[in-house]
């Protein structure tokens, strides 16, 4: 373990922690919504202590103008309900192996309904074409019919663009080494794709891993070609038509949590949920082309339908803080640096551990499990957190330094105490952090919460910055 993970820390009950806010300078003010007093110069405000059961949610206001940009904090301060229960664990990667794949496939799909779906050899393509063609008559709706049509077209594409380097694929449900086939041999790419039914509905699951990331993605047929965007709960789309899903967001969270638990993820908790703006291409009308043939006229249709529920690791009173920038799949986010012989040296970005479950009228409709981890050992259950006024001053100093360098105004809407997972020389630990977050107005069509800065809650050191 890295030394910083092993240092001695002690316990101080967060219910006894007074949250102080400090501002200084002529153009700076610091206030709380619960107080009418402004703080200038070196004056400090102490947020009213609130009991463990109530939690602490106070509005903090701080403004400053730099030579190029500025700082504008108008933020609620949020701490866990059980804020005195903080555990520090060391973690390790828990990438899927062949046994995991087989176990999950058996758990996910209807018995004897599934088969390997790896269209990277002529034999596999012919096998899959026969399989899909035989299933087309059993499509249950237009969406599934369109998915089958798209899948058959993709098989033709794969056949026309077959490359060398594919492994010997015989049909066994396991990982296959795709490093040479994908042209990213240095990344050690492995895949396993499976097609089957879930309660009679066709679905596909993809297991992928390389040296940087590991993920599982499950999607029901009929949704594979659709795209989705998190949208504000008070956005025009939601207000105008409502969410077409028959479940409420609370019911969706329960459905998602039960499903995640059924897969064995007991320490993953729901941390954020969004209405989903679902986009699909439909044939709205027809037209006659120059050859006199009737052709479909496709249009893109968007409407609120279903919910994305995000899960992150949690212990006792704390969970990993949600961040839109980190709670997205980095698998496949490959870039090329300049160190290769031809300037084409593939590398990648390692993503965060999280689970996303999309719930529609079909129930669990899409699932992403990204970069799973597991506990290695408990580091300590005795944690001392730095007082918030010290944390906040470190953050303010950091943002003010940015305002001297960048022509941006740094808006912060939420300051949240939670967990972050940190890495040092391949060793991982989960530690308490304060996150400074910008969240979009709930009336916006596109919903997000972007973390600008995370500070170690024990010593104030920078754990994450949007600019690093």
């Amino acid at each position: 373990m890295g030394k910083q993970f092993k240092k001695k820390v002690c316990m101080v009950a967060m219910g006894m922690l007074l949250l102080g806010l400090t501002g200084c300078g002529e153009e700076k003010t610091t206030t709380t919504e619960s107080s009418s007093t402004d703080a200038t110069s070196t004056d400090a405000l102490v947020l009213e202590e609130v009991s463990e059961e109530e939690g602490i949610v106070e509005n903090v206001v701080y403004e400053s103008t730099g030579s190029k940009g500025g700082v504008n904090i108008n933020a609620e301060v949020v701490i866990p309900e059980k804020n005195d229960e903080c555990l520090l664990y060391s973690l390790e990667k828990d990438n899927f192996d062949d046994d995991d794949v087989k176990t999950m496939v058996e758990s996910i799909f209807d018995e004897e309904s599934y088969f390997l779906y790896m269209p990277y050899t002529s034999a596999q393509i012919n096998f899959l074409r026969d399989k899909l063609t035989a299933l087309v008559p059993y499509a249950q709706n237009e969406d599934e019919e369109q998915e089958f049509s798209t899948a058959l077209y993709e098989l033709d594409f794969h056949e026309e663009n077959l490359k060398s380097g594919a492994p010997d694929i015989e049909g066994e449900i396991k990982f296959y080494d795709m490093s040479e086939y994908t042209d990213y041999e240095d990344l050690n790419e492995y895949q396993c794709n499976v097609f089957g039914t879930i309660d009679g509905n066709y679905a596909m699951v993809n297991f992928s891993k390389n040296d940087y990331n590991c993920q599982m993605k499950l999607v029901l047929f009929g949704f594979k070609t659709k795209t989705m965007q998190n949208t504000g709960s008070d956005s025009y789309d939601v207000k105008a038509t409502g969410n077409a899903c028959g479940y409420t967001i609370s019911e969706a969270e329960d459905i998602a949590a039960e499903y995640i638990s059924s897969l064995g993820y007991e320490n993953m908790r729901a941390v954020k949920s969004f209405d989903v703006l679902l986009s699909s291409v439909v044939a709205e009308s027809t037209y006659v082309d120059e050859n006199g043939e009737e052709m479909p006229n496709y249009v893109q249709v968007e409407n609120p339908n279903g919910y994305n529920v995000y899960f992150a690791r949690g212990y006792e009173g704390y969970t990993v803080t949600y961040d839109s920038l980190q709670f997205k799949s980095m698998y496949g986010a490959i870039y090329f640096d300049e160190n290769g012989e031809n300037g084409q040296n593939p590398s990648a970005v390692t993503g965060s551990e999280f689970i996303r479950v999309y719930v529609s009228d079909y129930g669990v409709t899409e699932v992403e499990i990204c970069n799973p981890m597991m506990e290695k050992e408990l580091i300590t259950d005795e944690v001392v957190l730095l007082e918030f006024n010290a944390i906040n001053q470190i953050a303010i100093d950091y943002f003010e330094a940015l305002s001297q360098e960048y022509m941006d105004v740094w808006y912060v809407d939420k300051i949240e105490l939670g967990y972050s997972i940190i890495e040092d020389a391949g060793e991982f630990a989960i530690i308490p952090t304060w996150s400074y977050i910008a969240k979009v107005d709930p009336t916006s069509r596109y919903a997000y919460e972007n973390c600008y800065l995370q500070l170690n809650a024990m010593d104030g050191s920078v754990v994450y910055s949007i600019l690093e």
Side-chain angles (χ1 to χ4, degrees), residues 390-438:
I391 290 286
N392 198 57
Q393 190 60 56
I394 293 170
I396 287 172
D397 291 343
Y398 190 90
F399 285 121
E400 286 184 345
L402 295 181
S403 70
Q404 303 295 332
E405 186 175 355
Y406 298 95
M407 297 181 65
D408 295 296
V409 177
W410 300 91
Y411 292 94
V412 176
D413 305 292
K414 183 166 71 169
I415 304 169
E416 183 170 350
L417 176 61
Y419 273 139
S420 293
I421 296 175
I422 62 173
E423 178 186 3
D424 178 61
E427 301 284 351
F428 299 87
I430 189 166
I431 66 169
T433 55
W434 285 99
S435 298
Y436 285 70
I437 297 168

Short mmCIF file of all heavy atoms in Angstrom, two decimals, residues 390-438:
data_model
loop_
_atom_site.label_atom_id
_atom_site.label_comp_id
_atom_site.label_asym_id
_atom_site.label_seq_id
_atom_site.Cartn_x
_atom_site.Cartn_y
_atom_site.Cartn_z
N ALA A 390 -11.33 25.22 7.20
CA ALA A 390 -10.01 25.05 6.61
C ALA A 390 -10.11 24.45 5.21
O ALA A 390 -9.41 24.88 4.28
CB ALA A 390 -9.16 24.17 7.51
N ILE A 391 -10.96 23.45 5.05
CA ILE A 391 -11.19 22.85 3.73
C ILE A 391 -11.67 23.91 2.75
O ILE A 391 -11.17 24.03 1.62
CB ILE A 391 -12.22 21.70 3.83
CG1 ILE A 391 -11.64 20.49 4.56
CG2 ILE A 391 -12.75 21.31 2.44
CD1 ILE A 391 -10.64 19.69 3.75
N ASN A 392 -12.67 24.68 3.17
CA ASN A 392 -13.28 25.65 2.27
C ASN A 392 -12.28 26.73 1.86
O ASN A 392 -12.30 27.20 0.72
CB ASN A 392 -14.50 26.28 2.94
CG ASN A 392 -15.41 26.96 1.94
OD1 ASN A 392 -15.86 26.33 0.99
ND2 ASN A 392 -15.66 28.24 2.14
N GLN A 393 -11.39 27.13 2.79
CA GLN A 393 -10.40 28.15 2.45
C GLN A 393 -9.41 27.61 1.42
O GLN A 393 -8.99 28.33 0.50
CB GLN A 393 -9.65 28.61 3.69
CG GLN A 393 -8.78 29.84 3.45
CD GLN A 393 -9.61 31.03 2.97
OE1 GLN A 393 -10.57 31.44 3.62
NE2 GLN A 393 -9.25 31.56 1.80
N ILE A 394 -9.04 26.33 1.55
CA ILE A 394 -8.16 25.70 0.56
C ILE A 394 -8.83 25.73 -0.81
O ILE A 394 -8.20 26.05 -1.83
CB ILE A 394 -7.83 24.26 0.97
CG1 ILE A 394 -6.97 24.25 2.24
CG2 ILE A 394 -7.11 23.52 -0.16
CD1 ILE A 394 -6.78 22.87 2.85
N ALA A 395 -10.13 25.39 -0.85
CA ALA A 395 -10.87 25.38 -2.12
C ALA A 395 -10.96 26.78 -2.71
O ALA A 395 -10.75 26.97 -3.92
CB ALA A 395 -12.26 24.80 -1.90
N ILE A 396 -11.26 27.76 -1.86
CA ILE A 396 -11.38 29.14 -2.34
C ILE A 396 -10.04 29.62 -2.91
O ILE A 396 -9.98 30.23 -3.98
CB ILE A 396 -11.87 30.06 -1.22
CG1 ILE A 396 -13.36 29.80 -0.95
CG2 ILE A 396 -11.66 31.53 -1.56
CD1 ILE A 396 -13.91 30.50 0.25
N ASP A 397 -8.96 29.33 -2.20
CA ASP A 397 -7.63 29.71 -2.69
C ASP A 397 -7.35 29.06 -4.04
O ASP A 397 -6.74 29.68 -4.93
CB ASP A 397 -6.55 29.31 -1.68
CG ASP A 397 -6.63 30.13 -0.39
OD1 ASP A 397 -7.29 31.19 -0.40
OD2 ASP A 397 -6.04 29.68 0.62
N TYR A 398 -7.77 27.81 -4.17
CA TYR A 398 -7.55 27.08 -5.42
C TYR A 398 -8.32 27.73 -6.57
O TYR A 398 -7.75 27.99 -7.64
CB TYR A 398 -8.00 25.63 -5.25
CG TYR A 398 -7.60 24.72 -6.38
CD1 TYR A 398 -6.39 24.04 -6.36
CD2 TYR A 398 -8.44 24.53 -7.47
CE1 TYR A 398 -6.01 23.19 -7.39
CE2 TYR A 398 -8.07 23.70 -8.51
CZ TYR A 398 -6.86 23.03 -8.47
OH TYR A 398 -6.50 22.20 -9.51
N PHE A 399 -9.61 28.03 -6.34
CA PHE A 399 -10.42 28.65 -7.39
C PHE A 399 -9.92 30.06 -7.71
O PHE A 399 -9.96 30.49 -8.87
CB PHE A 399 -11.89 28.69 -6.98
CG PHE A 399 -12.58 27.36 -7.06
CD1 PHE A 399 -13.17 26.79 -5.94
CD2 PHE A 399 -12.65 26.67 -8.26
CE1 PHE A 399 -13.80 25.56 -6.01
CE2 PHE A 399 -13.28 25.43 -8.35
CZ PHE A 399 -13.86 24.88 -7.22
N GLU A 400 -9.47 30.80 -6.70
CA GLU A 400 -8.96 32.13 -6.95
C GLU A 400 -7.70 32.10 -7.80
O GLU A 400 -7.51 32.94 -8.67
CB GLU A 400 -8.70 32.84 -5.63
CG GLU A 400 -9.97 33.29 -4.92
CD GLU A 400 -9.68 34.08 -3.66
OE1 GLU A 400 -8.54 34.04 -3.19
OE2 GLU A 400 -10.62 34.72 -3.16
N ALA A 401 -6.86 31.08 -7.57
CA ALA A 401 -5.67 30.93 -8.40
C ALA A 401 -6.07 30.65 -9.85
O ALA A 401 -5.46 31.18 -10.79
CB ALA A 401 -4.79 29.79 -7.86
N LEU A 402 -7.12 29.85 -10.03
CA LEU A 402 -7.61 29.59 -11.39
C LEU A 402 -8.14 30.86 -12.04
O LEU A 402 -7.95 31.08 -13.24
CB LEU A 402 -8.71 28.52 -11.36
CG LEU A 402 -8.32 27.11 -10.91
CD1 LEU A 402 -9.53 26.19 -10.98
CD2 LEU A 402 -7.18 26.55 -11.76
N SER A 403 -8.81 31.70 -11.25
CA SER A 403 -9.39 32.94 -11.80
C SER A 403 -8.32 33.94 -12.21
O SER A 403 -8.61 34.87 -12.96
CB SER A 403 -10.35 33.56 -10.78
OG SER A 403 -9.64 34.09 -9.68
N GLN A 404 -7.11 33.75 -11.70
CA GLN A 404 -6.01 34.61 -12.13
C GLN A 404 -5.41 34.11 -13.44
O GLN A 404 -4.72 34.86 -14.15
CB GLN A 404 -4.91 34.64 -11.06
CG GLN A 404 -5.36 35.09 -9.69
CD GLN A 404 -5.82 36.53 -9.66
OE1 GLN A 404 -5.39 37.36 -10.46
NE2 GLN A 404 -6.76 36.83 -8.76
N GLU A 405 -5.68 32.84 -13.77
CA GLU A 405 -5.04 32.23 -14.93
C GLU A 405 -5.99 31.98 -16.09
O GLU A 405 -5.58 32.04 -17.26
CB GLU A 405 -4.41 30.90 -14.50
CG GLU A 405 -3.59 30.22 -15.56
CD GLU A 405 -2.89 28.97 -15.05
OE1 GLU A 405 -2.97 28.70 -13.83
OE2 GLU A 405 -2.26 28.26 -15.87
N TYR A 406 -7.27 31.70 -15.79
CA TYR A 406 -8.23 31.33 -16.83
C TYR A 406 -9.36 32.35 -16.90
O TYR A 406 -9.81 32.87 -15.88
CB TYR A 406 -8.82 29.94 -16.56
CG TYR A 406 -7.80 28.83 -16.58
CD1 TYR A 406 -7.20 28.39 -15.40
CD2 TYR A 406 -7.43 28.24 -17.78
CE1 TYR A 406 -6.25 27.38 -15.42
CE2 TYR A 406 -6.49 27.22 -17.80
CZ TYR A 406 -5.90 26.80 -16.62
OH TYR A 406 -4.96 25.79 -16.63
N MET A 407 -9.82 32.59 -18.13
CA MET A 407 -10.91 33.55 -18.32
C MET A 407 -12.25 32.85 -18.16
O MET A 407 -13.05 32.77 -19.09
CB MET A 407 -10.79 34.21 -19.70
CG MET A 407 -9.52 35.03 -19.87
SD MET A 407 -9.38 35.82 -21.48
CE MET A 407 -10.78 36.97 -21.42
N ASP A 408 -12.47 32.30 -17.00
CA ASP A 408 -13.71 31.60 -16.69
C ASP A 408 -14.20 32.03 -15.31
O ASP A 408 -13.41 32.44 -14.45
CB ASP A 408 -13.49 30.08 -16.67
CG ASP A 408 -13.13 29.52 -18.04
OD1 ASP A 408 -13.97 29.60 -18.94
OD2 ASP A 408 -12.00 29.02 -18.18
N VAL A 409 -15.50 31.95 -15.13
CA VAL A 409 -16.08 32.11 -13.80
C VAL A 409 -16.42 30.71 -13.30
O VAL A 409 -17.16 29.97 -13.96
CB VAL A 409 -17.34 33.00 -13.82
CG1 VAL A 409 -17.94 33.07 -12.42
CG2 VAL A 409 -16.98 34.39 -14.31
N TRP A 410 -15.87 30.36 -12.15
CA TRP A 410 -16.06 29.01 -11.60
C TRP A 410 -17.29 29.01 -10.69
O TRP A 410 -17.26 29.54 -9.59
CB TRP A 410 -14.81 28.58 -10.84
CG TRP A 410 -13.63 28.55 -11.75
CD1 TRP A 410 -12.75 29.56 -12.00
CD2 TRP A 410 -13.22 27.47 -12.59
NE1 TRP A 410 -11.82 29.20 -12.93
CE2 TRP A 410 -12.08 27.91 -13.31
CE3 TRP A 410 -13.68 26.17 -12.80
CZ2 TRP A 410 -11.40 27.09 -14.22
CZ3 TRP A 410 -13.01 25.37 -13.70
CH2 TRP A 410 -11.90 25.82 -14.40
N TYR A 411 -18.38 28.44 -11.21
CA TYR A 411 -19.65 28.38 -10.47
C TYR A 411 -19.72 27.07 -9.69
O TYR A 411 -19.52 25.99 -10.25
CB TYR A 411 -20.84 28.48 -11.42
CG TYR A 411 -20.99 29.83 -12.08
CD1 TYR A 411 -20.44 30.08 -13.33
CD2 TYR A 411 -21.68 30.85 -11.44
CE1 TYR A 411 -20.58 31.32 -13.94
CE2 TYR A 411 -21.83 32.09 -12.03
CZ TYR A 411 -21.28 32.32 -13.28
OH TYR A 411 -21.42 33.56 -13.88
N VAL A 412 -20.02 27.16 -8.42
CA VAL A 412 -20.17 25.99 -7.57
C VAL A 412 -21.56 26.03 -6.93
O VAL A 412 -21.92 27.02 -6.29
CB VAL A 412 -19.09 25.93 -6.48
CG1 VAL A 412 -19.34 24.75 -5.54
CG2 VAL A 412 -17.71 25.83 -7.10
N ASP A 413 -22.34 24.97 -7.12
CA ASP A 413 -23.71 24.90 -6.64
C ASP A 413 -23.90 23.95 -5.47
O ASP A 413 -24.90 23.99 -4.78
CB ASP A 413 -24.66 24.46 -7.77
CG ASP A 413 -24.54 25.34 -8.99
OD1 ASP A 413 -24.94 26.51 -8.90
OD2 ASP A 413 -24.03 24.86 -10.01
N LYS A 414 -22.92 23.05 -5.27
CA LYS A 414 -23.04 22.07 -4.19
C LYS A 414 -21.66 21.71 -3.66
O LYS A 414 -20.71 21.55 -4.43
CB LYS A 414 -23.77 20.81 -4.67
CG LYS A 414 -23.98 19.78 -3.57
CD LYS A 414 -24.98 18.70 -3.97
CE LYS A 414 -24.46 17.77 -5.03
NZ LYS A 414 -25.34 16.58 -5.22
N ILE A 415 -21.56 21.61 -2.35
CA ILE A 415 -20.33 21.15 -1.69
C ILE A 415 -20.73 19.92 -0.88
O ILE A 415 -21.53 20.02 0.05
CB ILE A 415 -19.74 22.24 -0.78
CG1 ILE A 415 -19.50 23.53 -1.57
CG2 ILE A 415 -18.46 21.76 -0.14
CD1 ILE A 415 -19.16 24.72 -0.70
N GLU A 416 -20.18 18.77 -1.26
CA GLU A 416 -20.68 17.51 -0.70
C GLU A 416 -19.56 16.69 -0.08
O GLU A 416 -18.47 16.54 -0.66
CB GLU A 416 -21.37 16.70 -1.79
CG GLU A 416 -21.98 15.40 -1.29
CD GLU A 416 -22.86 14.73 -2.33
OE1 GLU A 416 -23.16 15.34 -3.38
OE2 GLU A 416 -23.26 13.58 -2.09
N LEU A 417 -19.84 16.14 1.09
CA LEU A 417 -18.92 15.23 1.77
C LEU A 417 -19.30 13.80 1.42
O LEU A 417 -20.44 13.37 1.64
CB LEU A 417 -18.97 15.43 3.28
CG LEU A 417 -18.13 14.48 4.13
CD1 LEU A 417 -16.64 14.61 3.81
CD2 LEU A 417 -18.38 14.73 5.62
N GLY A 418 -18.36 13.06 0.87
CA GLY A 418 -18.61 11.67 0.51
C GLY A 418 -17.29 10.95 0.33
O GLY A 418 -16.25 11.40 0.81
N TYR A 419 -17.34 9.84 -0.37
CA TYR A 419 -16.14 9.06 -0.65
C TYR A 419 -15.58 9.40 -2.03
O TYR A 419 -16.31 9.81 -2.94
CB TYR A 419 -16.46 7.57 -0.65
CG TYR A 419 -16.41 6.87 0.69
CD1 TYR A 419 -17.38 5.92 1.01
CD2 TYR A 419 -15.37 7.09 1.59
CE1 TYR A 419 -17.33 5.23 2.22
CE2 TYR A 419 -15.31 6.40 2.80
CZ TYR A 419 -16.30 5.48 3.10
OH TYR A 419 -16.25 4.80 4.29
N SER A 420 -14.28 9.17 -2.20
CA SER A 420 -13.64 9.09 -3.51
C SER A 420 -12.68 7.91 -3.48
O SER A 420 -12.14 7.55 -2.42
CB SER A 420 -12.86 10.37 -3.83
OG SER A 420 -13.72 11.47 -4.00
N ILE A 421 -12.46 7.32 -4.63
CA ILE A 421 -11.49 6.24 -4.75
C ILE A 421 -10.21 6.83 -5.35
O ILE A 421 -10.24 7.45 -6.40
CB ILE A 421 -12.02 5.10 -5.63
CG1 ILE A 421 -13.25 4.46 -4.97
CG2 ILE A 421 -10.95 4.03 -5.86
CD1 ILE A 421 -13.93 3.39 -5.80
N ILE A 422 -9.10 6.65 -4.63
CA ILE A 422 -7.83 7.19 -5.10
C ILE A 422 -6.87 6.06 -5.41
O ILE A 422 -7.02 4.94 -4.93
CB ILE A 422 -7.21 8.15 -4.06
CG1 ILE A 422 -6.89 7.42 -2.75
CG2 ILE A 422 -8.15 9.32 -3.79
CD1 ILE A 422 -6.13 8.25 -1.74
N GLU A 423 -5.88 6.37 -6.26
CA GLU A 423 -4.90 5.37 -6.68
C GLU A 423 -3.50 5.92 -6.47
O GLU A 423 -3.24 7.10 -6.70
CB GLU A 423 -5.09 5.01 -8.15
CG GLU A 423 -4.07 4.02 -8.67
CD GLU A 423 -4.18 3.76 -10.16
OE1 GLU A 423 -5.01 4.40 -10.81
OE2 GLU A 423 -3.41 2.93 -10.66
N ASP A 424 -2.61 5.07 -6.03
CA ASP A 424 -1.20 5.42 -5.91
C ASP A 424 -0.37 4.20 -6.29
O ASP A 424 -0.40 3.18 -5.60
CB ASP A 424 -0.87 5.86 -4.48
CG ASP A 424 0.60 6.19 -4.30
OD1 ASP A 424 1.08 7.11 -4.99
OD2 ASP A 424 1.27 5.52 -3.49
N ALA A 425 0.34 4.33 -7.41
CA ALA A 425 1.22 3.25 -7.88
C ALA A 425 0.50 1.91 -7.96
O ALA A 425 1.02 0.86 -7.57
CB ALA A 425 2.44 3.15 -6.97
N GLY A 426 -0.74 1.95 -8.49
CA GLY A 426 -1.50 0.72 -8.66
C GLY A 426 -2.23 0.24 -7.44
O GLY A 426 -2.94 -0.77 -7.49
N GLU A 427 -2.09 0.94 -6.32
CA GLU A 427 -2.83 0.63 -5.10
C GLU A 427 -4.01 1.58 -4.97
O GLU A 427 -3.91 2.77 -5.28
CB GLU A 427 -1.92 0.76 -3.87
CG GLU A 427 -0.69 -0.14 -3.89
CD GLU A 427 -1.03 -1.58 -3.57
OE1 GLU A 427 -2.18 -1.83 -3.16
OE2 GLU A 427 -0.15 -2.45 -3.73
N PHE A 428 -5.15 1.05 -4.50
CA PHE A 428 -6.37 1.84 -4.43
C PHE A 428 -6.88 1.93 -2.98
O PHE A 428 -6.69 1.01 -2.19
CB PHE A 428 -7.48 1.22 -5.29
CG PHE A 428 -7.14 1.15 -6.75
CD1 PHE A 428 -6.44 0.06 -7.26
CD2 PHE A 428 -7.52 2.16 -7.62
CE1 PHE A 428 -6.13 -0.02 -8.60
CE2 PHE A 428 -7.21 2.08 -8.97
CZ PHE A 428 -6.51 0.99 -9.46
N ALA A 429 -7.52 3.04 -2.67
CA ALA A 429 -8.18 3.19 -1.37
C ALA A 429 -9.40 4.09 -1.53
O ALA A 429 -9.48 4.90 -2.47
CB ALA A 429 -7.22 3.79 -0.34
N ILE A 430 -10.35 3.93 -0.64
CA ILE A 430 -11.55 4.76 -0.63
C ILE A 430 -11.46 5.66 0.59
O ILE A 430 -11.28 5.19 1.72
CB ILE A 430 -12.83 3.90 -0.64
CG1 ILE A 430 -14.07 4.78 -0.86
CG2 ILE A 430 -12.96 3.01 0.59
CD1 ILE A 430 -15.33 3.98 -1.21
N ILE A 431 -11.52 6.98 0.38
CA ILE A 431 -11.29 7.94 1.44
C ILE A 431 -12.38 9.01 1.42
O ILE A 431 -13.03 9.23 0.39
CB ILE A 431 -9.91 8.62 1.32
CG1 ILE A 431 -9.86 9.49 0.05
CG2 ILE A 431 -8.79 7.59 1.32
CD1 ILE A 431 -8.65 10.40 -0.02
N PRO A 432 -12.61 9.72 2.53
CA PRO A 432 -13.60 10.81 2.55
C PRO A 432 -13.05 12.05 1.86
O PRO A 432 -11.88 12.41 2.03
CB PRO A 432 -13.82 11.05 4.05
CG PRO A 432 -12.53 10.65 4.69
CD PRO A 432 -12.01 9.50 3.88
N THR A 433 -13.88 12.69 1.05
CA THR A 433 -13.48 13.90 0.33
C THR A 433 -14.61 14.91 0.33
O THR A 433 -15.79 14.56 0.46
CB THR A 433 -13.11 13.61 -1.13
OG1 THR A 433 -14.21 12.94 -1.77
CG2 THR A 433 -11.87 12.75 -1.23
N TRP A 434 -14.25 16.18 0.20
CA TRP A 434 -15.21 17.26 -0.06
C TRP A 434 -15.17 17.55 -1.55
O TRP A 434 -14.11 17.81 -2.12
CB TRP A 434 -14.86 18.51 0.73
CG TRP A 434 -15.17 18.45 2.19
CD1 TRP A 434 -14.31 18.17 3.22
CD2 TRP A 434 -16.46 18.67 2.79
NE1 TRP A 434 -14.97 18.21 4.43
CE2 TRP A 434 -16.30 18.53 4.19
CE3 TRP A 434 -17.72 18.99 2.30
CZ2 TRP A 434 -17.34 18.68 5.10
CZ3 TRP A 434 -18.76 19.15 3.19
CH2 TRP A 434 -18.58 18.98 4.57
N SER A 435 -16.33 17.51 -2.20
CA SER A 435 -16.44 17.75 -3.64
C SER A 435 -17.13 19.08 -3.90
O SER A 435 -18.19 19.36 -3.33
CB SER A 435 -17.22 16.62 -4.32
OG SER A 435 -16.56 15.38 -4.17
N TYR A 436 -16.54 19.88 -4.78
CA TYR A 436 -17.11 21.17 -5.18
C TYR A 436 -17.69 20.98 -6.58
O TYR A 436 -16.97 20.73 -7.53
CB TYR A 436 -16.03 22.25 -5.14
CG TYR A 436 -15.72 22.68 -3.72
CD1 TYR A 436 -15.05 21.82 -2.85
CD2 TYR A 436 -16.13 23.92 -3.24
CE1 TYR A 436 -14.78 22.19 -1.53
CE2 TYR A 436 -15.87 24.31 -1.92
CZ TYR A 436 -15.20 23.43 -1.08
OH TYR A 436 -14.95 23.82 0.22
N ILE A 437 -19.02 21.10 -6.66
CA ILE A 437 -19.77 20.60 -7.81
C ILE A 437 -20.58 21.72 -8.46
O ILE A 437 -21.20 22.54 -7.78
CB ILE A 437 -20.71 19.46 -7.38
CG1 ILE A 437 -19.90 18.28 -6.85
CG2 ILE A 437 -21.63 19.02 -8.52
CD1 ILE A 437 -20.73 17.23 -6.14
N ALA A 438 -20.59 21.72 -9.79
CA ALA A 438 -21.49 22.57 -10.56
C ALA A 438 -22.59 21.70 -11.12
O ALA A 438 -22.32 20.72 -11.82
CB ALA A 438 -20.74 23.26 -11.70
#
